Amino acid sequence: MRLICVGDSPKNMDGRPCSTLSEAVSEGGIFLRISGREGVLSALRNDQSDVAVIQQTSPDPLLIRTIRNNRFSLPILVIARNLTSQNVAEALAAGADDCVPITVGPVELLARLKAIVRRVMDHGVTSQIITVGRLTVKEDTREVLVDEELLPLTQGEYDIMSLMVRRRGSLLNKAAILSTLYAGREKPISKTIDVMVCRIRQKLRVRGIQKPFITSWGMGYRLNEEAFLPLGARAEDECAPVQPAMREASMPVSAGFGVTAAMAEKAEGRDAVEKAARQPEPQA
């Protein structure tokens, strides 16, 4: 089992586990990674964990919502010093899977962690493969594929592509992208995002994806899901041949429309010619 311990209280902002969690880790053969609150999103992207353990003085739903809003589906267990029925209910509503007091014993804590992982695996919630038409993002191996062929991306380009796919349907401005990709680290200039998006576009165009992103100038970028539709899944009206119009059948006829009279005269003349042709020739 792989855990990421997130410190979110004045005593352990760097993510160092409490004594109970340390004992549970040693007894259960658990691989543990630690993170502070500021770098948690980057840590979750760069290292796949089975459970996130958040240590707080009192359950605070803000950090839980931040994780869920970034579409991380791993289960969350909160260890808090001060628990009430109200703040436990708020944490669960925000997306936590369990809340336990700091006084919980290591045996019980280990059992709760294993139970959470078992439930998640039974329901298949931990799938880290996201598919959008011809595009596949494998978050466990940090790979992007188009038509099942690997798309070569740098680490930063992958982070942007993964974020776009996870937040598809949403417009992401450059400030939000920088904040997510460089959480807890010094951020580069915003022009860096434009450069990386441009490079991703060029690589996707080679694979036949012409407009992978929709750009809202001065606002940000959004994934263009229609660009990744399979080649045989275009709209029928785009693929269907254009049928020639039947001009006479579709021509509107209304009182006073001069074409109607002209057509009637032409028809009368044609009938007269046919009638004359049927008359027997006069005898000489």
Side-chain angles (χ1 to χ4, degrees), residues 19-21 23-24 27 104-111:
S19 58
T20 301
L21 181 57
E23 290 183 40
E27 292 179 9
V104 65
V107 176
E108 180 183 348
L109 179 59
L110 182 59

Side-chain angles (χ1 to χ4, degrees), residues 70-84:
N70 281 270
R71 299 195 178 184
F72 290 106
S73 59
L74 82 169
I76 298 173
L77 181 142
V78 177
I79 300 177
R81 188 173 300 277
N82 303 319
L83 287 181
T84 66

Side-chain angles (χ1 to χ4, degrees), residues 54 64 68 75-78 88 90-99:
I54 302 177
I64 301 170
R68 292 302 184 219
I76 298 173
L77 181 142
V78 177
V88 168
E90 291 175 354
L92 295 175
D97 295 88
D98 199 359
C99 291

Side-chain angles (χ1 to χ4, degrees), residues 23 26 47 143 230 247 258 264:
E23 290 183 40
S26 60
D47 183 74
E143 293 178 332
R247 290 175 294 177

Side-chain angles (χ1 to χ4, degrees), residues 229-281:
L229 286 175
L231 297 178
R234 304 303 185 197
E236 292 184 0
D237 57 350
E238 294 180 359
C239 298
V242 178
Q243 298 294 334
M246 298 179 65
R247 290 175 294 177
E248 290 184 338
S250 61
M251 181 177 293
V253 178
S254 59
F257 195 51
V259 176
T260 305
M263 292 174 63
E265 290 177 3
K266 185 182 294 185
E268 289 178 359
R270 186 170 56 250
D271 291 341
V273 172
E274 292 176 356
K275 183 177 180 180
R278 290 195 297 269
Q279 295 293 330
E281 294 182 3

Side-chain angles (χ1 to χ4, degrees), residues 140-160:
D140 53 346
T141 58
R142 294 178 59 80
E143 293 178 332
V144 175
L145 297 89
V146 175
D147 297 330
E148 300 184 358
E149 293 186 7
L150 184 65
L151 186 71
L153 298 176
T154 66
Q155 179 176 338
E157 291 168 357
Y158 168 83
D159 288 338
I160 290 178

Side-chain angles (χ1 to χ4, degrees), residues 177-190:
I177 296 174
L178 285 171
S179 178
T180 302
L181 300 188
Y182 297 92
R185 293 179 290 167
E186 183 179 355
K187 299 180 182 63
I189 60 175
S190 61

Side-chain angles (χ1 to χ4, degrees), residues 36-262:
R37 178 190 180 100
E38 296 301 323
V40 61
L41 297 180
S42 179
L44 289 173
R45 280 192 301 272
N46 296 328
D47 183 74
Q48 181 58 42
S49 301
D50 297 310
V51 183
V53 178
I54 302 177
Q55 300 179 143
Q56 298 178 313
T57 301
S58 298
D60 181 2
L62 181 59
L63 178 57
I64 301 170
R65 290 197 188 99
T66 300
I67 294 174
R68 292 302 184 219
N69 289 341
N70 281 270
R71 299 195 178 184
F72 290 106
S73 59
L74 82 169
I76 298 173
L77 181 142
V78 177
I79 300 177
R81 188 173 300 277
N82 303 319
L83 287 181
T84 66
S85 58
Q86 181 63 31
N87 58 31
V88 168
E90 291 175 354
L92 295 175
D97 295 88
D98 199 359
C99 291
V100 296
I102 193 71
T103 56
V104 65
V107 176
E108 180 183 348
L109 179 59
L110 182 59
R112 286 178 177 270
L113 290 170
K114 290 181 177 179
I116 290 175
V117 173
R118 185 170 58 250
R119 287 198 304 269
V120 170
M121 292 182 65
D122 290 343
H123 289 84
V125 181
T126 56
S127 175
Q128 298 299 316
I129 299 178
I130 306 174
T131 301
V132 181
R134 300 167 60 191
L135 179 71
T136 301
V137 177
K138 295 184 176 181
E139 295 192 316
D140 53 346
T141 58
R142 294 178 59 80
E143 293 178 332
V144 175
L145 297 89
V146 175
D147 297 330
E148 300 184 358
E149 293 186 7
L150 184 65
L151 186 71
L153 298 176
T154 66
Q155 179 176 338
E157 291 168 357
Y158 168 83
D159 288 338
I160 290 178
M161 197 69 204
S162 175
L163 181 62
M164 289 281 193
V165 171
R166 285 186 282 109
R167 300 285 298 277
R168 58 189 180 278
S170 301
L171 181 66
L172 300 175
N173 59 42
K174 288 186 284 186
I177 296 174
L178 285 171
S179 178
T180 302
L181 300 188
Y182 297 92
R185 293 179 290 167
E186 183 179 355
K187 299 180 182 63
I189 60 175
S190 61
K191 193 68 176 177
T192 302
I193 300 299
D194 296 327
V195 172
M196 287 194 286
V197 169
C198 181
R199 290 175 179 171
I200 297 172
R201 277 196 174 112
Q202 292 173 351
K203 294 177 181 180
L204 287 171
R205 283 172 184 154
V206 175
R207 302 296 179 87
I209 310 296
Q210 298 302 321
K211 296 180 180 180
F213 308 122
I214 296 175
T215 303
S216 296
W217 296 108
M219 298 179 65
Y221 300 100
R222 178 168 60 86
L223 187 75
N224 182 15
E225 297 184 52
E226 294 184 1
F228 298 93
L229 286 175
L231 297 178
R234 304 303 185 197
E236 292 184 0
D237 57 350
E238 294 180 359
C239 298
V242 178
Q243 298 294 334
M246 298 179 65
R247 290 175 294 177
E248 290 184 338
S250 61
M251 181 177 293
V253 178
S254 59
F257 195 51
V259 176
T260 305

